[in-house]
Amino acid sequence: MTTPTPTAPADSPARPAAPAPAGRRVIRALPDRLISQIAAGEVVERPASVVKELLENAVDAGSTDIELRLEEGGVKRILISDNGCGIPPEELPLALQRHATSKITSLNDLENVASLGFRGEALASIASVARVRLATRTADAEHAWSIDSALADPSPAPAQGPQGTRIEVLDLYADTPARRKFLKSPGTETAHCLEAFRRVALAHPQVAFRAWVEGKPVEKWPAQDWAGRALLGLGEDYIEASRTLEARQPLCSLRGRIGAPTVSRSRADRQFLYVNGRFVRDRLLGFAIKQAYADVLHGDRHPAYVLFLDIEPHLVDANVHPAKIEVRFRDPQAVRSLVYHAVKDALRLGAGQFASSPSDEDNAIPAARDSAPPPARGSDPFGERARAWSGAATAAPPSAGAFRAPVPDTAPALQASPTMRLDLRDPATPLSAAESAAALAFYAPAASGSETEAPVVSGSKAEVSAALGGAVQAPPELPLGMALAQVHGVYILAQNADGLILVDMHAAHERVMYERFKSARLQGPTASQPLLIPVTFKADPIEVEAARESRDDLLALGLDIDVLSPNTLALRAVPVGLGRIDPGRFAKGILADLIDYGHSRKIEARQEALLASMACHAAVRAHRQLTLAEMNALLRDMERTAAADQCNHGRPTWIALSMEQLDKLFLRGQ
């Protein structure tokens, strides 16, 4: 630590500063250009950073048409033009100065940021490591004005051009060649620039975007609705394998599009999360989405999604990271709960109800918790809402007012649930009267409005199947249609209103049984099993404090962790049904999740793994001969069971071939 030099008395003559002792560095004020170059190290990481900052400025200017042009990966030239409001000529010199902005004027504005850019250092940082030429024109100006950062005294000069702004960045890092050495090949830098372009374009569907590389058009995003724009981000693979969702709370809302678990990816390259129109990487929300996919996706696969979270500006802090890629929420657990349950509900639909039209806003999932208040501190919104949902997803038809599955408004109502369930009885076992009536209802649904009572079919299941074998026309309200036959004792062949359905009967029945087991487990609180000898283990102060603050939540999960000393914890009870585990390591893992995310699913994950194993062993096996009535019962169960489009391992349980696809296979009409 340096000792300040005492100042001379006011009446003494000024003396020259003494030379600094050897080994001590003198404190100096840095020149403005060096300050800007230091800031550029945070803001301008690579050409893609320039593209992001300038595109966000164009969006903030109210543009409806934005164009990007790149040369040599953006190192030689980046050109962005828009038709926004433009900049008055008297403000042009300020545009290139550090911390000069039109977007905030006070601390209150900073706490309620509604624009994408607000720091006022992007253009100055870019101009410190490249040449910036800016031409702009406002709506009331007679002509455009331009400014060039390469001039010794940049001042506005008359120019030609339409309304809007045109920014040209030339020779990036020309004055700092050491920085240029860290850049990748032009092709790689171009790919990063286009990725930044897509991230901005995805969040602003009302704006048309175009991108050119080396003079050739490569991207064209017309103005459209948000659901169609989100589908552009996911890609053509998700046209039939994605779903729009919407959920609202009093101060925040979520909308977007999620991919089906059966179309997962080996890399997390199609995950786009936006907060108030700004692309972010948030560990808390990313963890919530991952957990929503937990029991429908294989562990090493990644879902695809485009989600837009809109929240009141004063409830989120965007001034956390220089590149504005991270945010901080005032109530992170309430936001996490909204995201988790919205995605979870969208995934938990019956089989055949997942796909929706990319532009059909009526197919958006209704928000089941529009008016629900944020969860109280210390509550367990995951457990309570999971119990409410899972109990209704697989049980018998709920009574009036009960929680129902979020089936799209446009989907027709399913028929009444049959009393017959798929079982492993011998096919020769006689059917009960209720079972035979249900079987007949499957094969020959009564006409709408008919009051004729369905006749009762008697005899064995084989005889009923033979008697009803000819009536297999599937009503349009049954997504999986009516069973036709069994293929090699492994697959069920069915016919619906659109074409052919092929079902993996073991995988489908496994999902049905798994959801039933899980529903039964969630009917009451988690049972706890005391340990004969408590397990003590060392813990750091953060883990001890987490155990103390979350004690009620841990007890609700069946876990009793007691604080013995400032660095020792004791595990006295564990949830029932975890199997053979290392209690101390398991408890430390749960505390680590509580510290990082405010919630842990290790207990649920462990129990669900055991339930999945039980379901696998309980499900009907391959080569088990089923009657048509049993096959139809399984199809109806799939339509009512949550997440029945895939098994517990993330594999599809059924596929569909439309009449158009079948015609192409046989070259009909060609």
Side-chain angles (χ1 to χ4, degrees), residues 283-404:
R283 294 176 66 246
L284 180 75
L285 299 186
F287 180 75
I289 297 171
K290 181 180 179 180
Q291 293 306 312
Y293 275 88
D295 63 351
V296 295
L297 198 63
H298 194 275
D300 60 354
R301 304 289 293 180
H302 301 275
Y305 53 81
V306 179
L307 296 175
F308 308 100
L309 178 67
D310 295 312
I311 186 170
E312 291 295 322
H314 67 276
L315 297 179
V316 59
D317 183 5
N319 193 25
V320 177
H321 191 275
K324 302 184 293 292
I325 205 168
E326 297 178 5
V327 294
R328 184 180 294 118
F329 299 102
R330 181 173 296 181
D331 190 348
Q333 297 310 316
V335 178
R336 182 207 64 182
S337 180
L338 172 68
V339 173
Y340 173 85
H341 291 293
V343 176
K344 188 76 171 178
D345 288 353
L347 293 171
R348 295 181 65 78
L349 294 174
Q353 302 173 22
F354 196 90
S356 63
S357 171
S359 59
D360 189 358
E361 301 249 0
D362 292 333
N363 281 343
I365 297 175
R369 303 177 179 85
D370 285 352
S371 59
R377 185 173 180 84
S379 65
D380 179 23
F382 282 85
E384 289 297 325
R385 296 185 177 184
R387 280 189 283 274
W389 171 261
S390 297
T394 57
S399 58
F403 187 90
R404 291 181 178 272

Side-chain angles (χ1 to χ4, degrees), residues 240-253:
E240 297 295 337
S242 63
R243 182 169 197 85
T244 57
L245 64 84
E246 288 189 274
R248 295 181 180 86
Q249 291 283 0
L251 297 177
C252 62
S253 64

